Amino acid sequence: GQSLEQPSEVTAVEGAIVQINCTYQTSGFYGLSWYQQHDGGAPTFLSYNALDGLEETGRFSSFLSRSDSYGYLLLQELQMKDSASYFCAVRDESNFGNEKLTFGTGTRLTIIP
Amino acid sequence: GAVVSQHPSWVICKSGTSVKIECRSLDFQATTMFWYRQFPKQSLMLMATSNEGSKATYEQGVEKDKFLINHASLTLSTLTVTSAHPEDSSFYICSATVPGSRNTIYFGEGSWLTVV
């Protein structure tokens, strides 16, 4: 089966940096994605790592270590609008290629002034 | 703009009735779409894989006779919650992959279902 663990809640200060970790156990692995979800909205794609290392996209960076079954999302220069839930998700080949996602438990990020 | 669209965004129905949710890919063809369900403050759980022109593939524990999925065209998948009960109240979201987009997965806006 698939299992992805994240911290349930994280609080950080506006302008600071925060890291959200994700550890996973999967039967197949084709990459780790990160999604942001504001209350009442749909998930929005942030980042995708298929290979080990750091991927940077603006204020957001994502890291993957396949040997450790571990990844993290790094948010810099935090803004109040970054308050949201963040999910890591694994793509696997369980069904129809690598489009199928198994989501992590989710991390509720709260930014304080 | 949105590449995957869902309708309706909100729906309230009475217990025992059925409700249909549509998921459309805009300006691209999606042979496969995915349906997820999310209860408040929980993660997204995959319900089923919708396959154009063939039967849907359901995840373990999801009742196929209760959650009917039809993918009759390359741009439309529908999820019908039959004989709805209050415990079916949830946020339902579909996803699709845009061909040639480096396998980026896009989600619909989601549909809030409340069964009273």
Side-chain angles (χ1 to χ4, degrees):
Chain A
Q2 317 285 66
S3 169
L4 294 88
E5 295 295 325
Q6 300 176 235
S8 58
E9 295 181 346
V10 173
T11 301
V13 177
E14 187 178 16
I17 299 173
V18 71
Q19 178 174 312
I20 299 174
N21 299 321
C22 174
T23 57
Y24 59 87
Q25 291 183 330
T26 61
S27 55
F29 181 81
Y30 280 84
L32 187 70
S33 300
W34 287 92
Y35 288 83
Q36 179 192 63
Q37 186 180 32
H38 286 97
D39 289 343
T44 302
F45 173 78
L46 293 177
S47 186
Y48 173 61
N49 294 69
L51 303 175
D52 289 353
L54 191 68
E55 291 281 342
E56 298 182 68
T57 308
R59 295 189 297 115
F60 297 165
S61 302
S62 58
F63 172 82
L64 175 65
S65 169
R66 288 176 298 172
S67 60
D68 295 323
S69 297
Y70 164 76
Y72 66 72
L73 178 70
L74 191 72
L75 295 82
Q76 303 182 70
E77 301 174 17
L78 288 170
Q79 303 174 10
M80 298 302 292
K81 67 178 182 179
D82 296 329
S83 292
S85 292
Y86 293 82
F87 295 91
C88 58
V90 167
R91 301 189 184 204
D92 63 43
E93 203 182 54
S94 298
N95 193 15
F96 294 94
N98 58 1
E99 301 170 346
K100 178 179 175 179
L101 291 174
T102 299
F103 282 85
T105 49
T107 299
R108 177 72 189 183
L109 174 63
T110 301
I111 309 301
I112 57 176
Chain B
V3 295
V4 178
S5 178
Q6 275 185 248
H7 177 81
S9 299
W10 298 81
V11 58
I12 300 174
C13 71
K14 292 184 178 181
S15 280
T17 63
S18 296
V19 61
K20 180 185 291 186
I21 301 170
E22 296 183 345
C23 178
R24 294 183 182 273
S25 57
L26 306 179
D27 299 324
F28 72 97
Q29 295 180 338
T31 56
T32 304
M33 293 182 178
F34 297 88
W35 286 97
Y36 294 83
R37 178 170 57 184
Q38 185 180 31
F39 293 107
K41 299 187 184 302
Q42 295 188 21
S43 186
L44 289 84
M45 299 299 295
L46 180 67
M47 298 175 67
T49 303
S50 175
N51 310 301
E52 189 271 333
S54 65
K55 292 181 179 181
T57 305
Y58 290 82
E59 296 299 302
Q60 190 174 6
V62 178
E63 300 175 60
K64 64 179 181 180
D65 294 331
K66 180 170 182 60
F67 298 99
L68 301 179
I69 292 173
N70 184 281
H71 196 149
S73 79
L74 287 170
T75 60
L76 175 64
S77 174
T78 61
L79 169 68
T80 302
V81 182
T82 63
S83 187
H85 290 106
E87 56 264 32
D88 297 325
S89 299
S90 184
F91 189 48
Y92 293 87
I93 316 174
C94 67
S95 74
T97 302
V98 177
S101 67
R102 295 182 60 203
N103 289 325
T104 300
I105 298 171
Y106 290 92
F107 286 86
E109 305 96 332
S111 300
W112 283 99
L113 169 64
T114 301
V115 184
V116 298

